[in-house]
Amino acid sequence: MIWHTQGSGKSIVMVLLAKWILENKPNARVVIVTDRDELDKQIEGVFTAASHPMTRASSGRDLMTQLGQATPRLLCSLVHKFGRKGVDDFEQFIKDLEAQPCLTVGEIFVFVDECHRTQSGKLHRTMKALMPNAVFIGFTGTPLLKQDKQTSLEVFGGYIHTYKFSEGVEDGVVLDLIYEARDIDQRLGSEDKIDTWFDVKTRGLNDWQKAALREQWGTMQNVLSSRSRMDRVVEDIIFDFSVKPRLSNERGNAILVASSIYEACKYFELFQKTPFKGKCAVITSYNPQAKDITLEDTGANTETDKESIYTSYTTLLKNTGMANTEAYEDHAKKMFKDQPVNMKLLVVVDKLLTGFDAPSCTYLYIDKKMQDHGLFQAICRTNRLDGEDKDFGYVVDYKDLFKKVENAIAVYTSELDHSSGGVDPEILLQDRMTRGRERLDNALEAIAMLCEPVAPPKGELEHIHYFCGNTEIPEDLKAHETQRAALYKATVALVRAYANIADELGNAGYNETDIKRINKDLDSYLKLREIIRNAAGESLDLKAYEADMRHLIDTYIEADAPRKISPFDDMPLLDLIVKTGIANAINSLPDGLKGNKNAVAETIENNVRSKIIKEHLNDPAYYDKMSAILDEIIKFRKEQAENYEEYLKKIAELARRVEAGQAENTPEQLDTPGLRALYNNLRPKAAADPSLAYAGVAQDPMLDLAIRIDETVKQTRPDGWRGVQAKENVIKAALYGILQDVTEVERIFLIIEKQREY
């Protein structure tokens, strides 16, 4: 496997590696396999742009036909094209393929993109059975979390090379991320009205059905999709576009992640009533078809969620004149990438959160519960380089995912092989199948024990009697509710345990007889659950209640304007001190710090020290001076603990000086950072003694020297000189003509190298 972090050029590595293989191995063939059409098109585009056109396979059969010929040498395919519908016995299907693999010409290398996803299941096993002699190289932009690692390491082996997120940021290949959590308080406008509504609407339902309805619609998910709350999110985003850098100057744009297609459509409709009309699109891949709503009509003059989605999309396609969803989405994505001023916002659910690179994308608004790979890949949509005015990717979170973001960043900057804590990965590798089998066996045993008391011959009627009671006794159905709830819960546990290792029952140690028995038992228990639900009258079609529940949520749940809840807002602490003053900066610290003077002090000092270290090479003399002043202030704090207010004044003043990067009495001729750095570092005495700083032009001939060096560098520097020795020597030679000292040339050259203006 090759793990190169999101946005660092993984596709380019594929191109270079494929090019090297094809040039150095005359009989080699390279197949690029992806799991999404978006990625498939992107990979093809990258190879074509690099003058390596490739052939896209239209189906699995087409791919194998082409591999059975000597050409083409470079192909790409979707992994799903290796699947085969209607396979009842997958293990036998694989055995048949392995006995008679496809005949391929040449030495086959298969590059599997995003190898932590679907390629580790049935489809991947099919690929390997079809091409048993191929070399498989897995590429991923995300590290393998433990649950993925267990499977992927078995399939691909270890890492060939890793390039982590933190390394990409440090090298300037991708941007760092700034996170901001925003909370929208919601409250019930009238609890009495809601209770009355619920009682009237559910009068014909039993307790179990009422509980099911309460559970579905009382979840936070539905509360958080109230119309009032969505209005607040829309207003919040519109406001950001008028005040935030990159958004307000129309160089950048944003993606909003919604929790469902229904919510995405509602958000889109809300944005159409704002200045974003015509400059916003919804991307979900949903294609409206009449069959989607044929069973949705409840007889009332209201829409279910599916009907609402269908109406939104048919209206959208009609208004845009697009033939289908694919054409509409392709147009919107192109506009988003090429004309951010004309396509400000994309509303998505799952699509575009991986494999979609748009450098203009600067903000990601998350209104969906996410974690692990999905969360990290999503927030990395914003970290692509796009000119000097894009310093960070911004993540605005409306679902309080801060801990999950922290954990994701920690994981993605760690070495993952052995540092993820807990049980050693190798032990988990050996243990995974054993644990999966143990869980499935336990689930089967639990549901069997639950049904054990059913009277012989244990047919449908006996099960109904046991779980529903005697229909002649009115209280019996209620009395047996506990047994039914236990059955429903045990069936869910069985389905989940089975799904975890369904593709690998043979590898888990089950023989063919066991597998047939397990599949038969699973089927019978699922049928039993439906029989009992129907017998108890507990099969509840919730569609008839959807529109009423939506009206309830939109009418009675009120949302406040978003408020920021992240510890430091969206600016570094040093900026807070400089722009808003020390008091506001301290108030922005987490509550646990505010009451501890030493903790506050050390937090501020660490921020100042970090800035000094970061900027030191730009102007060593100036920042050495700032570092010395910081040391004095820390000493003052420790020696005069009672004079805390004076300490805060001193540290606030230092923070302003560090952030400014120059002294207040700087000569006006030094009007660029480069000139100031040259001047400061040509004057070692002034650097050592702050009292001598900027003594005045008449007393300081070094001012003329700094200006002369500045003009000389600007006149002699070749294009692209950094890192090219011959070009760097041109500048050094010009410096030597002025300084006449090799050591001094090397010292000053390091200062010049760090100045962007040169």
Side-chain angles (χ1 to χ4, degrees):
M1 279 176 295
I2 294 175
W3 159 31
H4 284 186
T5 194
Q6 297 283 326
S8 64
K10 179 163 53 76
S11 299
I12 300 298
V13 173
M14 281 190 182
V15 172
L16 296 174
L17 182 55
K19 182 174 183 288
W20 187 91
I21 289 172
L22 295 174
E23 288 176 354
N24 288 275
K25 291 182 169 287
N27 296 321
R29 318 275 300 281
V30 176
V31 182
I32 315 290
V33 178
T34 64
D35 70 342
R36 298 190 182 179
D37 191 53
E38 185 77 35
L39 292 174
D40 199 36
K41 290 177 181 176
Q42 181 179 312
I43 292 291
E44 181 189 24
V46 172
F47 272 82
T48 302
S51 302
H52 291 283
M54 60 164 50
T55 302
R56 289 182 78 190
S58 58
S59 65
R61 182 183 298 275
D62 177 41
L63 178 64
M64 300 320 299
T65 299
Q66 300 208 51
L67 288 176
Q69 305 165 357
T71 57
R73 296 182 68 198
L74 182 61
L75 304 97
C76 65
S77 173
L78 288 172
V79 69
H80 308 95
K81 291 175 181 174
F82 288 87
R84 181 169 157 186
K85 296 178 181 177
V87 176
D88 296 323
D89 189 341
F90 182 73
E91 295 301 324
Q92 188 58 48
F93 171 63
I94 289 293
K95 286 179 183 177
D96 292 343
L97 284 180
E98 290 172 342
Q100 290 185 311
C102 293
L103 295 176
T104 56
V105 175
E107 190 178 355
I108 309 297
F109 291 83
V110 183
F111 292 2
V112 183
D113 194 28
E114 301 298 351
C115 63
H116 62 276
R117 292 204 295 250
T118 54
Q119 295 87 336
S120 296
K122 286 184 177 180
L123 294 167
H124 189 93
R125 291 183 64 195
T126 304
M127 276 197 297
K128 296 190 88 170
L130 284 167
M131 299 178 284
N133 298 319
V135 175
F136 284 78
I137 302 174
F139 288 79
T140 181
T142 59
L144 303 180
L145 303 178
K146 281 187 178 179
Q147 63 269 29
D148 303 309
K149 186 191 297 186
Q150 297 153 17
T151 304
S152 298
L153 287 178
E154 290 166 359
V155 173
F156 289 98
Y159 288 120
I160 295 170
H161 187 256
T162 65
Y163 186 65
K164 298 185 290 296
F165 175 72
S166 51
E167 294 174 308
V169 171
E170 187 178 354
D171 291 344
V173 175
V174 294
L175 297 173
D176 206 348
L177 302 166
I178 283 186
Y179 171 88
E180 178 187 326
R182 296 182 190 173
D183 187 35
I184 300 177
D185 286 333
Q186 297 190 119
R187 60 194 174 279
L188 293 177
S190 174
E191 292 188 39
D192 291 341
K193 286 186 177 179
I194 287 178
D195 289 340
T196 302
W197 178 93
F198 197 89
D199 289 341
V200 171
K201 289 291 182 180
T202 61
R203 195 168 287 160
L205 304 179
N206 63 27
D207 290 345
W208 183 90
Q209 291 169 318
K210 287 182 180 181
L213 194 60
R214 280 187 185 276
E215 184 178 354
Q216 172 158 343
W217 291 98
T219 58
M220 283 302 291
Q221 176 55 50
N222 285 290
V223 170
L224 291 179
S225 65
S226 75
R227 171 65 181 272
S228 176
R229 180 183 181 281
M230 295 175 82
D231 279 336
R232 295 292 180 270
V233 171
V234 170
E235 291 166 5
D236 199 42
I237 292 172
I238 296 288
F239 180 77
D240 277 0
F241 268 82
S242 31
V243 299
K244 297 289 186 184
R246 292 272 303 177
L247 299 182
S248 58
N249 66 16
E250 300 187 322
R251 292 239 320 128
N253 45 21
I255 291 175
L256 167 62
V257 187
S259 289
S260 64
I261 296 178
Y262 174 86
E263 285 190 32
C265 290
K266 288 302 173 191
Y267 269 128
F268 176 73
E269 290 170 6
L270 291 173
F271 276 110
Q272 297 313 295
K273 300 171 184 176
T274 74
F276 276 37
K277 183 177 182 180
K279 298 182 179 182
C280 169
V282 58
I283 309 286
T284 69
S285 293
Y286 172 79
N287 263 311
Q289 298 180 28
K291 66 179 183 179
D292 295 342
I293 57 168
T294 52
L295 300 177
E296 291 295 303
D297 193 356
T298 62
N301 189 26
T302 53
E303 284 187 324
T304 65
D305 285 6
K306 283 187 178 179
E307 287 176 316
S308 177
I309 294 167
Y310 178 83
T311 302
S312 292
Y313 262 87
T314 50
T315 304
L316 168 66
L317 294 178
K318 180 181 177 182
N319 290 342
T320 56
M322 295 291 179
N324 52 46
T325 301
E326 184 178 7
Y328 163 75
E329 293 187 351
D330 285 346
H331 172 73
K333 288 183 289 187
K334 189 175 189 314
M335 290 280 288
F336 188 79
K337 288 182 177 182
D338 300 342
Q339 300 180 41
V341 65
N342 293 319
M343 185 55 69
K344 295 176 178 291
L345 183 74
L346 297 181
V347 184
V348 308
V349 180
D350 295 310
K351 203 171 180 187
L352 304 193
L353 299 184
T354 61
F356 178 66
D357 292 342
S360 59
C361 183
T362 308
Y363 276 73
L364 181 81
Y365 296 91
I366 303 177
D367 196 27
K368 175 183 180 179
K369 290 293 184 185
M370 305 173 76
Q371 61 184 10
D372 298 336
H373 284 311
L375 176 59
F376 191 77
Q377 287 182 313
I379 63 181
C380 282
R381 294 311 98 207
T382 67
N383 75 345
R384 305 304 193 261
L385 305 178
D386 189 34
E388 291 192 2
D389 65 333
K390 186 178 178 183
D391 299 318
F392 297 97
Y394 292 86
V395 180
V396 176
D397 164 26
Y398 295 109
K399 285 287 175 80
D400 197 17
L401 304 176
F402 182 61
K403 279 296 173 193
K404 290 180 179 177
V405 172
E406 268 192 326
N407 292 341
I409 295 292
V411 165
Y412 285 73
T413 53
S414 70
E415 203 44 90
L416 269 245
D417 277 334
H418 292 88
S419 65
S420 52
V423 184
D424 202 43
E426 283 77 0
I427 297 173
L428 284 175
L429 268 172
Q430 298 160 9
D431 238 9
R432 187 172 67 87
M433 292 301 177
T434 305
R435 290 187 179 183
R437 175 171 180 162
E438 182 179 309
R439 187 179 175 193
L440 179 55
D441 287 343
N442 288 342
L444 284 165
E445 183 180 350
I447 200 167
M449 288 180 65
L450 191 63
C451 297
E452 181 63 31
V454 176
K458 295 183 181 291
E460 288 183 9
L461 190 60
E462 288 77 18
H463 279 92
I464 290 172
H465 286 162
Y466 177 73
F467 287 103
C468 302
N470 189 336
T471 56
E472 296 176 1
I473 305 173
E475 299 79 23
D476 238 7
L477 187 63
K478 179 74 173 174
H480 288 74
E481 194 170 287
T482 305
Q483 287 105 304
R484 293 196 300 279
L487 174 66
Y488 302 156
K489 187 176 179 180
T491 310
V492 171
L494 173 59
V495 170
R496 287 178 178 167
Y498 175 82
N500 280 340
I501 56 170
D503 295 345
E504 300 162 295
L505 291 172
N507 294 340
Y510 293 108
N511 58 37
E512 290 184 8
T513 305
D514 290 332
I515 293 172
K516 288 179 181 177
R517 172 183 57 80
I518 290 168
N519 288 329
K520 182 180 176 183
D521 287 348
L522 179 67
D523 185 58
S524 66
Y525 285 125
L526 287 171
K527 287 178 179 175
L528 174 63
R529 179 179 66 175
E530 291 312 303
I531 288 168
I532 299 304
R533 276 184 168 173
N534 284 312
E538 291 172 341
S539 288
L540 178 63
D541 183 357
L542 297 174
K543 285 199 293 289
Y545 296 87
E546 282 185 1
D548 281 332
M549 292 301 297
R550 285 284 174 200
H551 174 74
L552 174 76
I553 288 169
D554 292 343
T555 304
Y556 292 113
I557 295 181
E558 301 168 358
D560 290 339
R563 59 185 177 86
K564 295 167 186 171
I565 57 173
S566 43
F568 298 139
D569 196 347
D570 60 350
M571 67 170 73
L573 182 59
L574 206 60
D575 282 357
L576 276 175
I577 294 170
V578 173
K579 294 176 182 176
T580 66
I582 198 79
N584 286 347
I586 291 174
N587 285 333
S588 297
L589 293 171
D591 290 340
L593 281 178
K594 290 179 190 175
N596 186 325
K597 289 184 177 180
N598 284 334
V600 169
E602 289 184 16
T603 300
I604 296 171
E605 288 160 6
N606 285 336
N607 274 264
V608 176
R609 182 76 73 189
S610 175
K611 177 74 172 180
I612 289 172
I613 291 170
K614 183 179 177 182
E615 299 293 337
H616 184 266
L617 283 177
N618 290 332
D619 192 342
Y622 181 78
Y623 287 102
D624 280 344
K625 190 191 322 180
M626 295 299 104
S627 183
I629 294 172
L630 177 59
D631 290 339
E632 291 175 9
I633 292 174
I634 293 171
K635 183 179 177 183
F636 174 85
R637 173 174 65 83
K638 291 180 177 179
E639 291 177 352
Q640 299 189 40
E642 73 285 353
N643 205 347
Y644 190 64
E645 189 175 339
E646 183 63 25
Y647 159 77
L648 290 179
K649 289 180 182 177
K650 289 177 179 287
I651 199 74
E653 176 58 28
L654 176 62
R656 277 191 286 272
R657 293 176 67 182
V658 168
E659 187 67 19
Q662 66 181 82
E664 291 179 358
N665 58 341
T666 302
E668 61 182 22
Q669 294 96 324
L670 302 177
D671 55 1
T672 70
L675 266 171
R676 288 191 290 272
L678 285 171
Y679 180 70
N680 287 337
N681 288 276
L682 286 167
R683 305 173 73 250
K685 289 183 179 179
D689 184 357
S691 66
L692 296 178
Y694 307 117
V697 179
Q699 302 170 21
D700 194 355
M702 288 299 171
L703 181 61
D704 290 335
L705 180 59
I707 293 172
R708 187 178 165 200
I709 290 174
D710 172 78
E711 291 173 347
T712 300
V713 171
K714 287 177 178 176
Q715 289 168 2
T716 59
R717 62 183 175 182
D719 288 339
W721 59 268
R722 284 179 175 82
V724 181
Q725 180 126 25
K727 293 183 178 182
E728 289 181 351
N729 287 342
V730 172
I731 297 175
K732 289 180 181 179
L735 289 175
Y736 185 78
I738 299 171
L739 299 170
Q740 299 295 309
D741 184 327
V742 173
T743 304
E744 188 69 356
V745 165
E746 293 294 337
R747 184 176 75 86
I748 296 302
F749 180 80
L750 292 175
I751 308 297
I752 291 168
E753 191 177 30
K754 294 298 177 183
Q755 308 306 313
R756 287 186 179 180
E757 64 198 77
Y758 300 130

